[in-house]
């Protein structure tokens, strides 16, 4: 854990970027297929658009892998606002809910995406098509506005048990602390290329951009077609001389398998950072890192607190453990394994991972009861904490071992999913009286299975259920398999036995 909480003022993220632009104006800051911008050009575009957005409190941005969107993110921050990233692959009803719930007063997107959402009253539309025009004009003066460390950098949404996602506003103090640590910990500097791979609706995408521009490196965008083909992505990594890349373990494993298949091991890779899954090391992973010489860092965090711990694996990959720990807490963050009384349990005993320090936000947007439950006051620390719902144990080394979830939240192909959210949407369907969902992680497949008690007069129509769920849930939330049951099994204490239900799924 990290007990010492520093009171020293940290630069805000957009200030870090501005400092690099002043120090290295002619270094390439952003590169994409077909173009590039220097730090001077990026800074001028940010300042020009920030001035235009002045007065914006919260700006929603539709996910669009483009230089305009990257510029817009920093412009929103420099103008004193916060970002609300929206995934344009989500169903319209879900996007409408997130846009309205977030309280966004501006929607930013390129023109071809403008019809994907319903713009609520009080929210204006701004088209991004011309954000980076006239980039060679005279220098733009620094736009100045009062910004508090408590103001939100972004609002991101995570799966919720009510049937709708829940939003979290991450303050500047949390993100500045994390990015400051990431810059100091990483080798990224002028001349380093970082691949921008994650969707902008996931907070890791902000880390890719912020930590690179705060260190004088180059952010390299990738097309969706390249991103979805592992062989093409590897070739792009080699072509662009990528030094650093963030991956979930699932995507890391797929990339490694592609590397072995096409016999391509980009020598430029120096750092691979994983987040979002339990990291597992096998011989295939060891061989890849032995061939590239890169180091592997396992970061642990969640939407509610961003990244809170890290463990770096370097040296001979043959010596890496099969299941690395999640490491120790970052500076100004407290991470402890606690019992029900929120007191630390002895070394080696299982407990819930509890998080405190500068990373903890005020709670969930518009959900006071859930906030009180998951963000309680930590008597032992005299401040708000976040109860992660993750089970872990403190090791004698001081590192923490991640053991799994204590509730119905699961990870499927790196996506965090509340099973109760899917169940709530199933129960809302005319043909379903009750439903439970189980998660399955087999050797070659991760999937969700829906177990449905049907309403009277209805037969199980799996394809129809898929279509109806796809209208309100992201694609990766929609179960792959459907089973009709007459009732659910119960444990001896009267609780639904999800494990017994899961065992009924055919292999």
């Amino acid at each position: 854990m990290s007990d010492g909480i520093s009171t020293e003022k940290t630069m805000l993220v957009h200030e870090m970027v501005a400092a690099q632009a002043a120090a290295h104006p002619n270094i390439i800051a952003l590169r994409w297929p077909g173009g590039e911008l220097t730090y001077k050009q990026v800074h001028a575009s940010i300042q020009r658009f920030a001035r235009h957005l002045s007065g914006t409190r919260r700006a929603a941005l539709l996910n669009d892998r483009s230089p305009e969107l990257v510029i817009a993110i920093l412009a929103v921050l420099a103008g004193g606002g916060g970002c609300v990233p929206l995934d344009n692959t989500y169903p319209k009803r879900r996007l409408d809910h997130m846009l309205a719930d977030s309280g966004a007063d501006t929607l930013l997107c390129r023109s071809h995406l403008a019809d994907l959402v319903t713009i609520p009253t009080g929210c204006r539309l701004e088209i991004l098509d011309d954000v980076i025009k006239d980039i060679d004009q005279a220098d733009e003066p620094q736009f100045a506005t009062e910004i508090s460390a408590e103001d939100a950098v972004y609002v991101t949404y995570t799966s919720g048990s009510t049937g709708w996602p829940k939003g979290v506003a991450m303050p500047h103090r949390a993100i500045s602390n994390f990015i400051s640590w990431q810059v100091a910990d990483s080798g990224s500097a002028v001349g380093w290329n970082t691949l921008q791979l994650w969707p902008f609706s996931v907070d890791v995408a902000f880390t890719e951009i912020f930590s690179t521009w705060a260190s004088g490196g180059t952010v390299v965008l990738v097309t969706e077609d390249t991103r979805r083909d592992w062989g093409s992505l590897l070739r792009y990594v080699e072509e662009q001389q990528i030094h650093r890349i963030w991956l979930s373990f699932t995507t890391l494993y797929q990339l490694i398998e592609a590397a072995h298949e096409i016999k391509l091991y980009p020598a430029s890779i120096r750092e691979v950072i994983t987040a979002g899954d339990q990291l597992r090391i096998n011989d295939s992973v060891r061989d890849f890192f032995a061939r590239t010489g890169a180091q592997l860092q396992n970061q642990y965090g969640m939407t509610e607190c961003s990244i809170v711990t890290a463990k770096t694996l370097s040296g001979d990959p043959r010596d890496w453990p099969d299941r690395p720990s999640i490491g120790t807490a970052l500076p100004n963050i407290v991470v402890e394994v606690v019992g029900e009384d929120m007191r630390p349990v002895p070394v080696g005993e299982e407990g819930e991972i509890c998080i405190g320090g500068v990373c903890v936000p005020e709670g969930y947007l518009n959900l006071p009861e859930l906030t009180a439950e998951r963000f309680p006051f930590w008597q032992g620390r005299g401040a708000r904490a976040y109860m992660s719902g993750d089970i872990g144990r403190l090791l004698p080394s001081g590192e923490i071992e991640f053991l799994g979830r204590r509730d119905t939240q699961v990870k499927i192909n790196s996506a965090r999913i509340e099973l109760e959210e899917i169940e709530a949407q199933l129960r809302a369907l005319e043909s379903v009286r009750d439903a439970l969902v189980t998660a399955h992680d087999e050797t070659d497949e991760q999937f969700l299975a829906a177990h449905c008690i049907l309403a009277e007069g209805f037969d199980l129509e799996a394809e129809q259920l898929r279509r109806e769920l796809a209208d309100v849930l992201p694609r990766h939330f929609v179960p792959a398999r459907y089973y009709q049951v007459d009732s659910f099994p119960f444990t001896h204490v009267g609780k639904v036995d999800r494990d017994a239900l899961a065992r009924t799924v055919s292999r």
Side-chain angles (χ1 to χ4, degrees):
M1 83 188 84
S2 178
D3 285 316
I5 306 299
S6 172
T7 57
E8 182 179 345
K9 186 180 185 300
T10 302
M11 291 177 72
L12 303 184
V13 169
H14 59 282
E15 295 171 340
M16 299 180 198
V17 176
Q20 291 299 320
H24 312 290
N26 298 318
I27 295 296
I28 299 301
L30 182 63
R31 189 163 67 240
W32 67 94
E36 60 184 26
L37 294 174
T38 65
Y39 270 92
K40 179 180 179 180
Q41 292 170 324
V42 162
H43 182 67
S45 296
I46 290 171
Q47 296 306 311
R48 186 181 305 116
F49 198 44
R51 188 168 287 103
H52 177 72
L53 291 175
S54 177
T56 296
R57 173 178 173 269
R58 200 163 281 172
L61 303 100
L62 275 168
N63 180 24
D64 177 25
R65 201 173 295 276
S66 67
E68 290 86 355
L69 183 64
V70 181
I71 296 294
I73 289 171
L74 269 296
V76 170
L77 300 186
C83 300
V84 185
L86 302 176
D87 192 326
N88 57 22
T89 66
Y90 282 1
K92 187 174 185 296
R93 286 176 59 190
R94 190 178 185 88
L95 290 175
D96 289 349
H97 167 81
M98 294 163 68
L99 182 58
D101 181 72
S102 70
D105 51 13
T106 304
L107 172 65
L108 305 176
C109 66
R110 292 205 290 172
S111 55
H112 67 284
L113 300 175
D115 294 332
L116 290 180
V117 295
T118 302
I119 301 176
T121 301
C123 182
R124 76 179 193 272
L125 174 66
E126 290 279 355
I127 299 299
L128 295 178
D129 296 6
D130 295 329
V131 164
I132 57 176
K133 72 173 184 179
D134 301 327
I135 56 176
D136 293 320
Q137 288 183 346
D139 293 346
E140 286 284 332
Q142 184 78 26
F143 180 74
T145 186
E146 191 69 26
I147 302 173
S148 166
E150 297 303 315
D151 290 339
V153 175
Y154 53 71
V155 176
T156 49
Y157 280 80
T158 184
S159 184
S161 59
T162 63
W164 294 104
K166 48 187 184 283
V168 180
M170 288 304 297
H172 275 276
R173 58 174 160 79
I175 303 306
S176 293
N177 183 73
F178 171 49
I179 296 301
S180 295
W181 169 83
Q182 186 73 70
V183 169
D185 181 77
S186 172
S188 178
V190 173
W192 269 51
N193 300 317
T194 295
L195 189 65
Q196 199 291 293
L197 189 66
W198 286 68
F200 284 100
S201 55
V202 180
D203 53 9
V204 180
F206 289 85
T207 302
E208 293 169 326
I209 297 165
F210 295 163
S211 67
T212 303
W213 281 357
S215 61
T218 301
V219 173
V220 181
L221 303 183
V222 61
T223 66
E224 281 299 316
D225 288 344
T226 299
R227 179 177 173 268
R228 296 177 184 280
D229 182 277
W230 299 112
S232 296
L233 184 60
L234 273 168
R235 296 183 186 95
Y236 190 72
V237 166
E238 182 175 57
E239 171 195 318
Q240 295 294 324
Q241 290 294 287
I242 298 298
H243 300 100
R244 184 171 63 167
I245 183 170
W246 265 266
L247 298 161
S248 69
F249 174 69
T250 304
T251 53
L252 170 64
Y253 192 78
Q254 290 171 317
L255 192 70
I256 287 174
E257 290 304 301
H260 293 326
E261 183 177 340
I262 66 176
K263 303 293 188 293
L264 178 58
Y265 305 94
S268 62
I269 300 178
R270 300 178 192 172
E271 293 179 7
V272 176
I273 302 170
T274 64
D277 282 316
Q278 168 62 55
L279 180 60
R280 296 181 178 90
I281 305 296
N282 57 23
D283 289 342
S284 182
V285 174
R286 292 186 177 94
D287 183 52
F288 176 84
F289 282 92
R291 289 173 182 270
T292 60
Q295 74 173 27
L296 175 61
Q297 185 174 82
N298 185 27
Q299 295 185 348
Y300 167 77
M302 61 288 299
T303 300
E304 288 82 353
C305 292
S306 189
I307 298 299
V308 297
T309 73
K311 167 72 173 179
T312 299
L313 301 175
S314 56
D316 191 341
R318 291 177 298 183
D319 298 330
W320 292 357
D322 293 344
R323 287 172 58 93
S325 77
I326 58 174
T328 56
L330 305 190
N332 302 312
I333 294 174
V334 177
V335 181
E336 292 186 346
V337 180
V338 303
E340 293 184 0
D341 59 359
M342 294 183 71
R343 296 181 183 276
V345 299
V347 173
E349 286 193 13
E350 294 185 10
E352 185 170 354
I353 297 175
C354 180
I355 299 161
V358 298
C359 63
V360 180
E362 290 301 307
Y364 296 114
L365 291 184
N366 310 316
L367 295 171
E369 292 182 1
L370 187 59
T371 292
E373 175 188 337
R374 299 297 294 274
F375 291 87
F377 185 77
W378 198 351
Q379 293 289 350
R381 297 286 175 182
R384 186 188 299 270
Y386 174 64
M387 301 300 293
S388 69
D390 290 337
I391 301 301
R393 66 162 65 96
L394 181 65
L395 302 175
S397 64
E399 297 180 354
I400 293 174
E401 179 184 10
F402 173 81
L403 299 175
R405 294 289 304 172
R406 68 167 175 79
D407 52 23
T408 58
Q409 191 180 96
V410 298
K411 286 281 184 73
I412 294 291
N413 297 324
S414 308
R416 178 174 156 186
I417 297 172
E418 288 270 11
L419 298 182
E420 290 181 358
E421 177 174 359
I422 307 170
E423 292 163 357
Q425 294 293 355
L426 277 166
R427 294 183 190 116
L429 302 179
E430 182 184 13
S431 62
V432 178
R433 182 161 61 86
D434 202 355
L436 290 174
V437 176
T438 55
H440 302 266
D441 187 355
E442 299 182 1
T443 304
D444 58 350
E445 183 183 16
Q446 289 182 313
F447 63 91
L448 299 173
H451 308 262
C452 303
I453 299 175
L454 299 179
E456 186 175 353
F458 287 90
D459 296 322
L460 184 68
E461 298 286 350
E463 196 53 43
Q464 177 66 19
L465 294 176
R466 285 192 192 95
R467 284 196 298 270
E468 292 180 294
L469 290 177
D471 285 339
V472 291
L473 293 173
R475 284 175 296 185
H476 53 278
F477 281 46
V478 178
R481 304 187 190 181
Y482 297 80
Y483 299 90
Q484 180 177 352
V485 296
D486 295 325
S487 61
F488 300 131
F490 290 87
T491 66
H492 67 284
V493 295
K495 294 184 178 180
V496 172
D497 192 341
R498 288 181 180 269
D499 290 339
L501 198 61
R503 289 194 292 271
T504 65
V505 173
S506 56
R507 300 290 177 178

